[in-house]
Amino acid sequence: MDITADTTPDELVATHRALRTAWQARRPDLDQRRADLKRLRDAFRAQVPAMDAAIRADFGHRSEHENLISEAMVVIAEIDHALAHLRRWARPRRAAVGWRFWPARAQVRPVPVGVVGILSPWNYPVNLALMPLVSAIAAGNHVYLKPSEHTPRTSAWLRELLAEVFPADRVAVALGGPGVGATFAGLPFDHLLFTGSTAVGRKVMAAAAPNLTPVTLELGGKAPAVICPDFPVDKAAARIATGKWINAGQTCIGVDYVLVDAARRDAFVDAVVAELRARYGDIAGSLDYTRIINEAQHARLQGYLDDARARGLQVIAPFGASPAGAADEVGRLLPPTLVIEPGPDAEVMRHEIFGPILPVLSYTSLDDAIGIIQRLPRPLALYPFTRDEADLARILDGILPGGVTVNDTLVHFGVHGLPFGGIGPSGMGQIHGRHGFDTFSKQLPVLRQAHWAGSDLIKPPYTGKIDRMIRWLAK
Ligand code: NAD
């Protein structure tokens, strides 16, 4: 049997049914969930070198340190956090009944929903598969995962890891591309989480609709960084360089474009170029710079640069252009490139870039900068750089993104206490920590009626005292 072969429609249906039947027969209790998470953590830790090798091979080259930070560290931290807080998250919470229903008692019980489907993308292929899986398992569900076809070695690694940790009727992995994804999204899940593009997110939601499967959509968008006049450009440049060029820009919450006050635009560009040279030196020989995932993505990004040059825009490539022609991992090196002052019709401003190209736009007033962002779809992330509370308030009042890091980039993703998710075209729903646990739980309201209850009196015939009492209650 070829373990990398596409999962067939019949297998998808049968596996989903097996997961559901097993869950119905025995919902994982708290001890089971904790034991599962501990086993997952141990197995994961032992398999980090194999994970690193798989991701590196899938990307052609990917920085080992980026793998350690953005895949291993975040997943292990998410498991540790769930283990530390699970009992409290799962505890029934008392709810007030109000005097009209007294002496009844009420509580909200977070209970698992059943089988959770997870469709994950290629850009952080382990993180974006396992972080939601950890939450879904913590909440007591069974999970069916379909990782991306664009990272086949990592997807096979995930399948082996999860098969080692979980019985096949508690967690299963399907393999395949858009066709398998479309059938998967149409399975009658109790909750479906999709991470990927806005365009595919629409299809996933439509496929889930006939089953009335609730969906959480983690989508993309153009995340802006806005540098206000009071913030030092050098510091902004350094932090934006991390938010832009980690994973060669293939990051959903990565900085898509920068708005900087006009007087300091050139100083900002110079600071970014200096920062890039200090970070990557000889870029082709740098082990710290990641490749573009495949030829199609490389061609898309190259097309944006061709468009910028054809428009006569200033294109700054501190390390030169991409090595020409080759479609292998050497050719898939796309060096950091800046595009200065693209208009709204330039390709780099019409699409989510999702690569190592940084448009730099200047503004003359903060209202102009806010207006530019407002004319684009609501982004997944927003990065204001300012210590001026009034300017920050204007930005936060004027723009509604999925999440915000002020004076830095990306960091809000890793903070357990913050819900992570988009809005409108950048997604719906939220995950991470307690928020992920709640997303994959039903908040079951349970009311216990007392032996003597006032509501026993409320029944026809509505005359005399009963009539007066109801009129009084309704005041
Ligand atoms: P994609 O939308 O092309 O693919 C994602 C997954 O969907 C793949 O596994 C694919 O097999 C599957 N798929 C394709 N067609 C499908 C269909 N009709 N039905 C069901 N599934 C289908 O995205 P991608 O290229 O893998 O990832 C890049 C995008 O993901 C970017 O837009 C990025 O911003 C976004 N993203 C968002 C987050 C987030 O947390 N919000 C994280 C990472 C990436």
Side-chain angles (χ1 to χ4, degrees), residues 32 35 85 262 317:
Q32 174 75 70
H85 298 281

Side-chain angles (χ1 to χ4, degrees), residues 120-123 128 146 149 181 194-197 218-220 252 352:
S120 56
W122 52 264
N123 61 324
L128 298 172
K146 192 200 83 65
E149 68 279 18
F194 169 78
T195 305
S197 60
E218 299 288 345
L219 310 177
C252 58
E352 176 184 6

Side-chain angles (χ1 to χ4, degrees), residues 111-441:
V111 295
V113 292
V115 180
V116 171
I118 298 175
L119 283 157
S120 56
W122 52 264
N123 61 324
Y124 290 94
V126 173
N127 165 341
L128 298 172
L130 292 189
M131 282 185 74
L133 180 138
V134 167
S135 296
I137 291 295
N141 301 287
H142 286 188
V143 175
Y144 202 5
L145 166 71
K146 192 200 83 65
S148 174
E149 68 279 18
H150 298 301
T151 45
R153 298 167 191 84
T154 313
S155 296
W157 176 87
L158 277 167
R159 182 139 117 163
E160 273 174 41
L161 173 84
L162 294 171
E164 180 189 327
V165 173
F166 294 98
D169 59 4
R170 196 174 307 150
V171 172
V173 176
L175 296 179
V180 175
T183 311
F184 186 93
L187 294 172
F189 286 112
D190 300 292
H191 197 106
L192 182 59
L193 178 130
F194 169 78
T195 305
S197 60
T198 305
V200 177
R202 281 198 183 90
K203 294 184 191 172
V204 168
M205 195 166 172
N211 298 315
L212 295 179
T213 293
V215 289
T216 299
L217 301 177
E218 299 288 345
L219 310 177
K222 290 182 79 62
V226 187
I227 309 171
C228 294
D230 69 293
F231 198 89
V233 278
D234 290 2
K235 192 160 204 103
R239 291 179 175 176
I240 286 169
T242 299
K244 181 74 207 185
W245 286 289
I246 188 170
N247 206 25
Q250 300 163 108
T251 304
C252 58
I253 52 167
V255 176
D256 191 277
Y257 63 103
V258 174
L259 289 155
V260 57
D261 49 300
R264 299 188 307 158
R265 189 200 73 193
D266 292 344
F268 171 75
V269 169
D270 290 347
V272 170
V273 170
E275 188 65 39
L276 284 167
R277 291 221 162 90
R279 288 182 183 213
Y280 299 115
D282 155 34
I283 199 143
S286 169
L287 292 178
D288 300 331
Y289 193 68
T290 295
R291 300 297 179 265
I292 301 304
I293 185 71
N294 56 37
E295 201 184 335
Q297 291 289 333
H298 186 276
R300 178 181 65 82
L301 292 162
Q302 196 60 57
Y304 294 174
L305 290 175
D306 294 345
D307 171 78
R309 289 198 175 92
R311 287 169 189 274
L313 294 170
Q314 185 186 2
V315 176
I316 300 175
F319 305 97
S322 190
D328 58 12
E329 60 270 18
V330 177
R332 295 207 322 264
L333 169 70
L334 190 63
T337 308
L338 288 76
V339 176
I340 311 301
E341 307 287 2
D345 50 349
E347 292 289 304
V348 282
M349 291 310 290
R350 289 183 52 233
H351 309 276
E352 176 184 6
I353 295 173
F354 219 60
I357 304 168
L358 181 67
V360 179
L361 288 79
S362 60
Y363 65 84
T364 43
S365 76
L366 196 53
D367 285 341
D368 290 345
I370 293 170
I372 289 171
I373 299 169
Q374 283 172 337
R375 283 190 284 281
L376 290 165
R378 287 174 167 174
L380 180 60
L382 170 68
Y383 302 116
F385 284 80
T386 182
R387 297 195 181 106
D388 182 318
E389 288 300 324
D391 279 356
L392 180 62
R394 276 164 73 196
I395 293 171
L396 294 183
D397 287 349
I399 302 159
L400 187 51
V404 180
T405 293
V406 179
N407 296 341
D408 206 344
T409 59
L410 313 178
V411 183
H412 65 285
F413 180 92
V415 173
H416 298 299
L418 292 174
F420 182 80
I423 178 149
S426 58
M428 64 180 70
Q430 48 206 28
I431 54 172
H432 291 182
R434 170 81 192 244
H435 308 284
F437 177 91
D438 286 346
T439 287
F440 299 124
S441 301

